[in-house]
Amino acid sequence: MKNSAPKAARGRPVNEQAREERMAQILDGARGCFVQRGFHASSIAEIGAAAGVSVANIYQYFPSKEALIAALIEVDLERHHGLIARFWNTDFSRTAIEAILGDIFLTPQGHAIAVLRAEIASEGARNPQVAALLRSSESDLLAAVHGGIRAAQEKGQVGAGLDPEQVAERLSLVFEGLMRLYLFSPSEGKAFIARYHAQLVDTLGLAR
């Protein structure tokens, strides 16, 4: 009697955990290629070699490089949501801020993230689909910052009279500006953290 159970596609892990691990493996390979060579210079074959999988296996999960970018944007969004949640649950001291931002401004991995964000932003200037994903991501992040500010106001950590939208816009612009500077001066990470903390103190009216 033949087995009537559906067969998994060849090369694709059967269970969900293995599937997620394979996707992460492919995204790690794509991330490394995009950081080193840029989006357009990186071929699917090179991404497969970097990830240790076949080209056919990549296409089982991601039909195009644009799909890989979309997935990387989603990972970046999740990372920033986590950073925002950590940020608004601190006492906003220099020590607390450095502990959070140090993961970005004081590590090679953090610099790679900055390079990748710049590469994806550059692609967004040419690709309407990527631009739409970036706009949606930015909107979600600003909403998360608004929520963090309101929560801090309810706890009495910052002034109740602060406008969450204005605060979020200012802090976001400062952060993105420092990230751009960080691209070219990774050795200045500690100075960028100090500058961000100074802006935070000024924007939220914290004790110096």
Side-chain angles (χ1 to χ4, degrees), residues 49-63:
V53 301
S54 69
V55 169
N57 200 206
I58 290 177
Y59 283 127
Q60 288 177 340
Y61 297 96
F62 305 99

Side-chain angles (χ1 to χ4, degrees), residues 80-95:
H80 274 74
H81 272 297
L83 186 148
I84 289 167
R86 289 174 58 196
F87 183 89
W88 291 102
N89 279 293
T90 69
D91 59 0
F92 308 125
S93 65
R94 170 68 182 274
T95 299

Side-chain angles (χ1 to χ4, degrees), residues 28 46 49 61 72 82 106 116 125-126 151 157 160 175 179 189 191 206:
D28 283 344
E46 289 170 331
Y61 297 96
L72 287 170
L106 300 180
L116 180 62
R126 298 183 292 265
Q157 292 178 298
F175 181 79
M179 285 288 278
L206 303 174

Side-chain angles (χ1 to χ4, degrees), residues 81-182:
H81 272 297
L83 186 148
I84 289 167
R86 289 174 58 196
F87 183 89
W88 291 102
N89 279 293
T90 69
D91 59 0
F92 308 125
S93 65
R94 170 68 182 274
T95 299
I97 299 306
E98 183 166 352
I100 295 172
L101 297 185
D103 291 341
I104 295 177
F105 289 106
L106 300 180
T107 67
Q109 295 81 6
H111 189 254
I113 289 171
V115 173
L116 180 62
R117 283 167 58 86
E119 179 65 26
I120 292 176
S122 178
E123 179 62 18
R126 298 183 292 265
N127 186 322
Q129 181 182 1
V130 173
L133 289 170
L134 289 172
R135 284 193 295 268
S136 177
S137 173
E138 181 66 18
S139 177
D140 286 347
L141 288 173
L142 285 174
V145 175
H146 294 163
I149 295 168
R150 294 189 185 98
Q153 287 175 320
E154 291 175 359
K155 295 175 185 176
Q157 292 178 298
V158 298
L162 291 174
D163 184 328
E165 291 190 7
Q166 290 182 357
V167 170
E169 182 177 1
R170 178 175 178 179
L171 293 179
S172 176
L173 289 172
V174 171
F175 181 79
E176 292 300 329
L178 291 176
M179 285 288 278
R180 283 193 291 272
L181 292 175
Y182 181 47

